[in-house]
Amino acid sequence: MKKIIIMVGPPGSGKGTQAKKIALKYHYQHLSTGDMLRSLATASNLTDVERQAIEQMKLGNLVSDMLIYNLVFERIEKALLKGEGVVLDGVPRTVDQARTLQGFFEEKKIASEIVVLEVAITDEESFARLSTRKVCNQCGEIVPGVNVAEVCVKCGGKLVVRADDNEDIVRKRIEKQGNSALMPIREFYNQLGLMVSVNGLQQIAEVEADIDLILKK
Ligand code: AMP
């Protein structure tokens, strides 16, 4: 199985859910840039760059590439040195990030270890999912639907609406991270022959089964 799994897909496609499953099942490190940024947001002593990034995230905008590279490159390197695989969830979000990431893997001579998994959904589905889901404030579990309970069944944490899941911000996120923003990233990875797509409109278990078939090839 390839050591570097790159998940791409519009917000709400389920790429985070699937990334967690892959990490658990195959003992890979789950590197979610969104989770890293949300945990950064709770830290004290932020630098100006970090503070600005958190503001941009709250507005539904992308944060600076440099911050993303600082967050992920070292973690990727450490995991690979330990012989662990990585599942990247949330990066790349632009073709520049895709190119830089590719350059990094080529320099480390591990570009042959990459597979890019697209979890494909429409922008309409993305909007419907993001504007109705809740998230556990302790374990990050995502619970779909409007009338969900207040308490997470996994850890007892509180289910809350994520700050950037409000309707106006969701629209902005889809504009910046939805299917049109993904087009050049898809093209980039297609040209390298690395891209495989699964239908993210299916049930979670069906998406998982499709991904397993791809990963075990
Ligand atoms: P996510 O949890 O993956 O939906 O990410 C939450 C937010 O973090 C995004 O809406 C962006 O503001 C920011 N973010 C996450 N990953 C990236 C990235 N690779 N480049 C720029 N911004 C990012």
Side-chain angles (χ1 to χ4, degrees):
M1 203 168 116
K2 301 281 187 193
K3 284 262 179 221
I4 300 155
I5 303 169
I6 301 176
M7 309 292 293
V8 297
S13 58
K15 61 182 186 307
T17 300
Q18 297 297 336
K20 280 187 201 153
K21 287 178 180 293
I22 295 169
L24 206 64
K25 218 178 319 183
Y26 302 108
H27 308 288
Y28 275 39
Q29 272 207 30
H30 176 209
L31 298 179
S32 156
T33 47
D35 285 351
M36 290 173 205
L37 289 165
R38 279 183 290 279
S39 112
L40 195 65
T42 64
S44 49
N45 298 333
L46 292 184
T47 64
D48 284 347
V49 172
E50 288 167 342
R51 223 186 332 267
Q52 277 163 23
I54 304 303
E55 279 312 306
Q56 291 309 312
M57 180 175 70
K58 285 184 185 153
L59 295 171
N61 294 324
L62 293 181
V63 311
S64 81
D65 289 350
M66 204 42 83
L67 177 59
I68 294 295
Y69 304 149
N70 287 341
L71 289 173
V72 294
F73 284 161
E74 207 181 307
R75 286 175 169 90
I76 296 173
E77 216 164 354
K78 274 194 183 150
L80 294 173
L81 276 175
K82 280 197 271 177
E84 291 172 355
V86 291
V87 197
L88 299 187
D89 164 17
V91 62
R93 272 211 161 87
T94 63
V95 76
D96 274 354
Q97 289 182 9
R99 276 198 202 100
T100 306
L101 208 54
Q102 190 65 21
F104 170 80
F105 290 130
E106 277 165 12
E107 197 191 302
K108 304 279 168 205
K109 311 223 177 315
I110 41 176
S112 61
E113 282 297 323
I114 303 172
V115 59
V116 182
L117 278 179
E118 177 189 31
V119 184
I121 62 167
T122 59
D123 288 344
E124 290 73 24
E125 179 68 13
S126 179
F127 182 81
R129 290 186 186 182
L130 295 185
S131 49
T132 56
R133 70 181 185 180
K134 280 189 178 168
V135 183
C136 174
N137 70 354
Q138 274 184 39
C139 71
E141 177 75 3
I142 292 172
V143 185
V146 245
N147 294 318
V148 294
E150 298 292 314
V151 176
C152 174
V153 289
K154 285 214 166 148
C155 73
K158 192 169 188 300
L159 295 180
V160 295
V161 176
R162 214 171 94 173
D164 57 354
D165 277 350
N166 94 48
E167 277 195 24
D168 290 341
I169 307 281
V170 164
R171 278 199 190 87
K172 176 92 73 69
R173 283 164 68 204
I174 294 174
E175 181 196 320
K176 310 246 163 165
Q177 306 166 34
N179 280 296
S180 32
L182 280 173
M183 199 85 87
I185 300 178
R186 271 192 212 113
E187 245 164 57
F188 175 79
Y189 284 127
N190 264 330
Q191 274 176 8
L192 293 172
L194 298 177
M195 184 90 185
V196 194
S197 187
V198 297
N199 175 5
L201 296 172
Q202 306 174 94
Q203 296 298 311
I204 292 176
E206 292 171 330
V207 179
E208 184 182 356
D210 284 358
I211 289 178
D212 274 339
L213 282 179
I214 293 164
L215 293 181
K216 286 174 182 160
K217 256 185 207 161

